[in-house]
Amino acid sequence: MNLGVRILGVRLGAVNVRVLIDGPSELVFDYAVPEGLDVRPGCRVRVPLRRKSSSGTVLSIVDGVQMDFALRDLESLIDPDPLITPVLLRAGEWIANYYGCGIETVIRSLLPESVRSEENSAKTRRIVILDRVPEEAVMEKLVKRAPRQHAVLALLSHAPDLRMAVADLGDGSAAVLKAMEKAGLLRIEQEEVRRDPEADGVDEVLESQPLALNQDQQRALDAILASLQTPAPKPILLLGVTGSGKTEVYLQAARHVLDLGKTVLVLVPEISLTPQTVRRFKSRFAAMQEQVAVLHSNLSQGERFDEWHRIRKGVARIVIGARSAVFAPLPDLGLIVVDEEHENTYKQENVPRYHGRDVAVLRAAFEPCAIVLGSATPSLESWHNTQTGKYELLRLDQRADGQAMPLVRIVDMRLEAAKHKGAPAILSDKLRTALEQRLEKGEQSILFLNRRGFARSLQCPQCGHVCQCPHCSVALTYHRTDERLVCHVCGHQAIVPRKCPECKDPAIILQGYGTQKVEEVMAKVLPKAKIARIDADAMRRKHALRDILNAFKSHKIDVLIGTQMIAKGLHFPNVTLVGILNADLSLHIPDFRAGERTFQLITQVAGRAGRGELEGEVIVQTYTPHSPSIQYARKHDFDGFSEQEMEFRRQFAFPPYGHCAVLTARSNHERRAEFTLQTLHLRLAENLPAGIGLGEVLPSPLIRSHGQFRFQITLRSERARPLTRHVQAVLARTTLPEDVTVVFDMDALSFS
Ligand code: ADP
Ligand code: ZN
């Protein structure tokens, strides 16, 4: 077979590569690699583009034999070392296969644009350096003969390390400095400057000392340390009740890893919502601040570039970040910690739809290094892995400070409603009394409601009309402060109608309630209390979240009202009461994980109570007091909950017994979205591999979103790969209409 003759322009044995060109248009082209260049994925290269030369990043090696036209040659390698380590490249390939997306997309996620782009290259400045303080005699001579040179030397000899930035010497010093450099009086050099994201001095951190561990913590730490010494350690699930001292265990484990000369990666659900965890890491390692990098979403491009390179060079040795930090290029990785591993925010909701925790586990296996997943309410996926022996289970069943778990009381809101003649109460009598008591005693409370805004919707009592978003199939939410209706899906805004748009009745009323309404009711019930609200609306202002949390910490606020933004790792010792206003909200979402979510949410929110010297109490208001999720959460009983929930999952073959994926089609044209999915359904049904369950084409629970109609198919399979492969194969040989978007979501967490 003589390919060289048949295919024009392809040299036998030649390697071709696919290159992502730098720049906003994200162009991708293939190039031939000239003899003798060692080009690998992740390499930075120069390539010809039209009549110019451009820089880019190699995404993948492509199979040269399929080319039927001449490729241009790549010009040169900018850096001989690829930006992607072999381990991360392997993880990237796994993601592409497992989640069914192109390796190109994955590499883009792996290498943030700020790292690829040439414009963000390291920032440098010119500095003057004095090798030693000049002798008195020299200075004396200069005073008269060259006063400006004398001034420069005088300044420099008092500067720290005898060095100063040229810019700091003032304008017009260039000629003087040049002359002095020539005369050998000083040196001028280029120095790299780090764009320090913390440089504006957010707040100073004091170094914290390690605590003496209790027995359970010590056992957990020992197990983690043992796994550091194991060649291929099992992932560890650290199941510890809220306040059991998991974070202290992570901190001490991290210290050991650093002492071993290795590096540490800490993943948290979301940086802005877990300020205390980040702070605790910062203060424990305050003496080595330079070595700590916090990757959050509002770093500037330049800051991100600098942090990334500090990590890659091994300067930053502890990295704390959210999901995408799983790709941080740490060399010699010793330990990965995934805090609150059950959180949904670890799953990326656009392509590549990877799960940060699962990629972390995989990365740990590839490195290899130790990995600890921690939670008070582990995902059933991770729990299942401890049952099958894939993960090691460690437990912390007591609170670290010796406090009891908070007492949880359930209030049946159906009885409350009857008491108040059917009017839906927001605060039950029990909760109101409890709030009053705390205020008298000078203790703090948290009220949790998983819904922002003032009232759920505007509904006409005459005709039943509900004000809906014109682009999404949800009711608009009333926002009191600025008198408007807002769609919580797409952000659409509307003015509040004075009468029913449908039947013109002026009696249109508000149904349900949200955080804003709770704030208003509280102001009436407890007029003396200082109240603040945390939700996405209240947090628009920069630093608003930080400011409110600080005010709450220093007890300038008595009652904090919030959405799930306050459910995560917050720790306030003076909080003795937590009220959960409507515990049923998350039970009614159309999702087989609804029970698990509710259990997690109540347990986590309840865990905010009684974290100091004082005992905590939790009051849960619900219309379904007997639901197992609520009852098990009341008893802080993860084992009981997981046992019954796993039984349900097993019966219906839901995850963790098998994988569940969703194929969604969306379009502005309802029929076209549905028809496309039906076509795909027919093709998926042909030669369906054994063990794959193919669901029907159904409208998505949220049938309209952002103006687009959505339909979906749920697929299930015991094994993930055959499912992804089958769907990919069908998608590859189906031409989709231009105005229909099809999305495949493996291990989907959202079914709306
Ligand atoms: P978790 O991460 O499991 O929610 P934390 O690490 O936040 O728990 O610990 C809860 C509280 O207990 C914190 O105030 C922490 O300082 C304290 N704590 C943790 N370990 C100990 C210990 N060994 N001795 C005393 N207090 C501890
Ligand atoms: Zn909308």
Side-chain angles (χ1 to χ4, degrees), residues 86-199:
V87 163
L88 285 175
L89 183 62
R90 221 177 129 195
E93 282 162 356
W94 182 89
I95 290 172
N97 278 324
Y98 187 90
Y99 294 99
C101 56
I103 182 75
E104 286 88 2
T105 339
V106 183
I107 301 251
R108 277 179 221 214
S109 280
L110 258 157
L111 285 178
E113 203 232 317
S114 51
V115 172
R116 283 184 266 122
S117 166
E118 279 212 321
E119 282 150 35
N120 292 313
S121 53
K123 191 173 151 192
T124 57
R125 59 174 185 176
R126 280 165 27 101
I127 51 161
V128 270
I129 305 166
L130 207 57
D131 285 327
R132 63 191 132 74
V133 181
E135 286 153 28
E136 279 298 316
V138 178
M139 293 296 276
E140 228 145 81
K141 250 192 241 161
L142 281 177
V143 180
K144 289 211 186 89
R145 245 193 20 215
R148 297 193 59 187
Q149 293 200 4
H150 177 266
V152 168
L153 286 182
L155 265 175
L156 266 176
S157 23
H158 290 101
D161 298 334
L162 303 183
R163 50 203 288 152
M164 278 179 83
V166 169
D168 292 344
L169 284 166
D171 292 339
S173 55
V176 185
L177 291 179
K178 209 165 183 182
M180 292 173 80
E181 188 184 22
K182 224 169 171 184
L185 287 169
L186 45 74
R187 285 184 291 129
I188 299 180
E189 282 182 5
Q190 290 282 346
E191 180 190 66
E192 243 180 62
V193 214
R194 174 184 170 208
R195 283 155 288 200
D196 183 356
E198 308 284 310

Side-chain angles (χ1 to χ4, degrees), residues 672-708:
R672 216 145 23 203
E674 187 177 12
F675 183 73
T676 302
L677 208 52
Q678 273 159 352
T679 308
L680 287 170
H681 190 271
L682 281 176
R683 297 193 174 176
L684 284 167
E686 285 166 26
N687 308 319
L688 189 69
I692 296 185
L694 176 63
E696 292 305 312
V697 174
L698 294 171
S700 302
L702 182 65
I703 183 173
R704 200 156 173 238
S705 169
H706 296 78
Q708 297 207 306

Side-chain angles (χ1 to χ4, degrees), residues 430-708:
K430 216 178 231 149
L431 181 53
R432 205 184 52 222
T433 316
L435 282 164
E436 282 162 359
Q437 284 169 353
R438 305 303 135 141
L439 191 63
E440 267 165 38
K441 285 197 271 181
E443 294 168 11
Q444 291 171 293
S445 308
I446 290 178
L447 288 183
F448 173 83
L449 174 67
N450 209 0
R451 184 192 282 152
R452 60 199 166 98
F454 190 78
R456 183 169 173 71
S457 54
L458 219 50
Q459 190 174 32
C460 174
Q462 289 302 316
C463 73
H465 174 84
V466 174
C467 293
Q468 292 258 344
C469 173
H471 316 290
C472 310
S473 51
V474 292
L476 293 169
T477 301
Y478 177 60
H479 286 240
R480 177 58 173 274
T481 34
D482 37 11
E483 278 291 323
R484 61 194 171 119
L485 295 170
V486 180
C487 170
H488 283 188
V489 174
C490 76
H492 172 85
Q493 305 195 11
I495 53 165
V496 181
R498 300 206 174 277
K499 49 192 181 197
C500 174
E502 213 38 51
C503 75
K504 314 295 178 213
D505 192 297
I508 191 156
I509 52 162
L510 299 166
Q511 289 283 324
Y513 59 91
T515 40
Q516 279 191 36
K517 174 77 179 174
V518 175
E519 191 178 14
E520 192 192 84
V521 169
M522 281 295 297
K524 280 194 195 128
V525 177
L526 292 181
K528 290 208 198 94
K530 281 160 285 173
I531 297 165
R533 176 164 58 86
I534 288 189
D535 57 28
D537 296 315
M539 295 305 118
R540 292 257 162 70
R541 192 169 55 80
K542 209 182 166 198
H543 299 315
L545 181 65
R546 199 185 74 201
D547 294 347
I548 292 197
L549 291 180
N550 282 339
F552 193 55
K553 187 159 201 172
S554 53
H555 203 158
K556 289 186 190 115
I557 295 166
D558 300 308
V559 184
L560 188 63
I561 301 169
T563 57
Q564 68 261 51
M565 288 181 91
I566 59 170
K568 300 183 180 119
L570 299 178
H571 176 83
F572 299 106
N574 197 40
V575 171
T576 55
L577 174 68
V578 168
I580 300 177
L581 294 175
N582 189 343
D584 314 284
L585 278 183
S586 55
L587 269 183
H588 303 314
I589 51 172
D591 185 335
F592 68 88
R593 287 193 180 89
E596 184 179 9
R597 297 261 162 78
T598 305
F599 174 80
Q600 289 169 347
L601 207 56
I602 296 179
T603 310
Q604 294 287 346
V605 177
R608 305 304 118 218
R611 292 176 68 104
E613 309 271 285
L614 306 162
E615 206 177 311
E617 182 184 8
V618 181
I619 294 181
V620 180
Q621 302 187 157
T622 169
Y623 288 91
T624 50
H626 299 296
S627 113
S629 308
I630 292 177
Q631 284 300 327
Y632 285 116
R634 180 169 78 87
K635 291 178 274 181
H636 313 283
D637 183 3
F638 175 79
D639 297 87
F641 169 75
S642 60
E643 195 177 313
Q644 72 100 36
E645 182 70 16
M646 291 290 271
E647 188 46 44
F648 153 70
R649 303 281 179 94
R650 194 199 326 265
Q651 271 179 21
F652 294 92
F654 279 126
Y657 300 99
H659 296 266
C660 191
V662 177
L663 189 66
T664 309
R666 53 170 206 257
S667 169
N668 289 325
H669 303 272
E670 184 169 8
R671 283 292 304 140
R672 216 145 23 203
E674 187 177 12
F675 183 73
T676 302
L677 208 52
Q678 273 159 352
T679 308
L680 287 170
H681 190 271
L682 281 176
R683 297 193 174 176
L684 284 167
E686 285 166 26
N687 308 319
L688 189 69
I692 296 185
L694 176 63
E696 292 305 312
V697 174
L698 294 171
S700 302
L702 182 65
I703 183 173
R704 200 156 173 238
S705 169
H706 296 78
Q708 297 207 306

Side-chain angles (χ1 to χ4, degrees), residues 318-442:
I318 310 184
V319 175
I320 307 170
R323 178 180 62 232
S324 64
V326 72
F327 301 124
L330 288 150
D332 297 319
L333 193 54
L335 171 69
I336 305 178
V337 173
V338 184
D339 193 22
E340 308 288 1
E341 66 88 30
H342 64 279
E343 282 286 346
N344 283 352
T345 45
Y346 283 120
K347 180 88 157 62
Q348 172 140 307
E349 286 301 330
N350 38 45
V351 185
R353 297 176 160 256
Y354 67 92
H355 197 300
R357 173 200 61 217
D358 296 345
V359 175
V361 168
L362 199 85
R363 178 170 180 184
F366 289 168
E367 290 280 350
C369 72
I371 179 165
V372 181
L373 314 177
S375 177
T377 52
S379 64
L380 292 181
E381 282 78 4
S382 296
W383 176 249
H384 186 57
N385 282 329
T386 66
Q387 305 290 294
T388 58
K390 267 198 206 161
Y391 293 1
E392 186 181 345
L393 176 65
L394 301 173
R395 303 185 71 129
L396 306 175
D397 289 325
Q398 309 289 328
R399 282 194 157 174
D401 48 16
Q403 280 293 312
M405 293 303 287
L407 183 66
V408 181
R409 298 177 201 280
I410 309 283
V411 177
D412 186 341
M413 292 305 277
R414 295 170 305 183
L415 301 180
E416 285 288 314
K419 218 160 53 184
H420 296 282
K421 308 257 169 352
I426 290 181
L427 295 179
S428 59
D429 294 343
K430 216 178 231 149
L431 181 53
R432 205 184 52 222
T433 316
L435 282 164
E436 282 162 359
Q437 284 169 353
R438 305 303 135 141
L439 191 63
E440 267 165 38
K441 285 197 271 181

Side-chain angles (χ1 to χ4, degrees), residues 264-316:
V264 180
L265 173 61
V266 182
L267 298 180
V268 295
E270 210 171 314
I271 289 281
S272 66
L273 297 185
T274 48
Q276 293 184 337
T277 308
V278 175
R279 238 189 117 83
R280 282 169 72 182
F281 271 88
K282 276 192 180 167
S283 51
R284 182 59 54 87
F285 300 103
M288 39 185 283
Q289 247 180 52
E290 277 288 293
Q291 301 189 23
V292 182
V294 180
L295 297 176
H296 44 82
S297 53
N298 44 15
L299 292 184
S300 71
Q301 296 259 343
E303 287 167 351
R304 191 171 295 279
F305 179 94
D306 287 357
E307 292 304 272
W308 196 91
H309 283 279
R310 271 175 7 96
I311 295 167
R312 181 170 178 236
K313 287 186 200 138
V315 178

